[in-house]
Amino acid sequence: MDVSETRCRILFVCTGNTCRSPLAEALCRQVLAQRLGCSPRELEKKGYEVLSAGLAASPGRPASPEAIQVAQELGIDLAQHQSQPFNLDLWQQVDHLFVMSRDHLQVIQLLTGCHGPEPRLLSPGGLDIFDPFCCGIDEFRDCAQQIMQYLQERLCELVSNDNVL
């Protein structure tokens, strides 16, 4: 299957869409682009769209300054990020939904029932990703490292023999 003919939308969800899910979105773009041998800007041409949202997000808020800084340290620009709330319309437009914690998973399961992509924890081992909101830069670095580890563990699911999840 030619991946350029495929449309795969991946959504990451956290609470406010200013810390964890924007980092996951940006890191996922980076990981996918490396795997596919393209730039993150070329992912849509390859058939991938990566998004993020928050269960309690206010629309249009920037990523936290610490998330922006950690992303910049990793060669990623989060300065243009604008938060968006999770809603059923968004959920129905994606193929895969990853959440940061078991609490997020429970809320989404209550909201969505069983008529769309099954929400899954980003951690393949079922662990929560610590929320660094209102913490220092070291906690944000730890969070980004944890997200990157889980993305690497899921990479074979994300791109396998030019097939999507």
Side-chain angles (χ1 to χ4, degrees), residues 74-86:
L74 297 170
I76 300 168
D77 182 9
L78 265 186
Q80 302 306 312
H81 172 78
Q82 292 189 357
S83 63
Q84 68 174 334
F86 174 82

Side-chain angles (χ1 to χ4, degrees), residues 4-156:
S4 63
E5 296 172 6
T6 307
R7 195 69 178 153
C8 177
R9 291 182 181 97
I10 304 164
L11 176 63
F12 295 95
V13 176
C14 69
T15 305
N17 194 216
T18 60
C19 300
R20 292 172 288 179
S21 59
L23 282 170
E25 174 187 357
L27 289 169
C28 184
R29 282 188 182 133
Q30 186 181 58
V31 166
L32 281 173
Q34 288 171 351
R35 175 67 183 262
L36 296 171
C38 66
S39 75
R41 288 184 293 275
E42 296 173 308
L43 283 175
E44 287 197 36
K45 292 178 187 173
K46 298 280 188 177
Y48 290 88
E49 185 176 8
V50 185
L51 308 162
S52 65
L55 291 173
S58 298
R61 302 214 42 189
S64 71
E66 296 86 357
I68 292 171
Q69 180 181 336
V70 168
Q72 188 175 31
E73 291 171 2
L74 297 170
I76 300 168
D77 182 9
L78 265 186
Q80 302 306 312
H81 172 78
Q82 292 189 357
S83 63
Q84 68 174 334
F86 174 82
N87 60 58
L88 295 180
D89 288 336
L90 180 60
W91 169 69
Q92 291 175 342
Q93 295 174 27
V94 300
D95 301 298
H96 307 283
L97 191 154
F98 291 102
V99 299
M100 303 296 124
S101 75
R102 290 182 296 264
D103 289 341
H104 298 137
L105 189 62
Q106 289 175 342
V107 169
I108 289 176
Q109 287 171 335
L110 287 172
L111 289 173
T112 61
C114 60
H115 300 290
E118 179 182 349
R120 296 182 283 162
L121 286 167
L122 180 57
S123 164
L127 302 174
D128 288 348
I129 297 172
F130 171 76
D131 187 355
F133 184 70
C134 292
C135 292
I137 193 69
D138 288 336
E139 288 81 6
F140 275 83
R141 287 183 182 121
D142 291 345
C143 178
Q145 182 179 13
Q146 191 178 23
I147 289 168
M148 182 60 92
Q149 174 188 335
Y150 297 149
L151 286 169
Q152 292 292 346
E153 290 175 26
R154 290 206 179 269
L155 186 58
C156 64

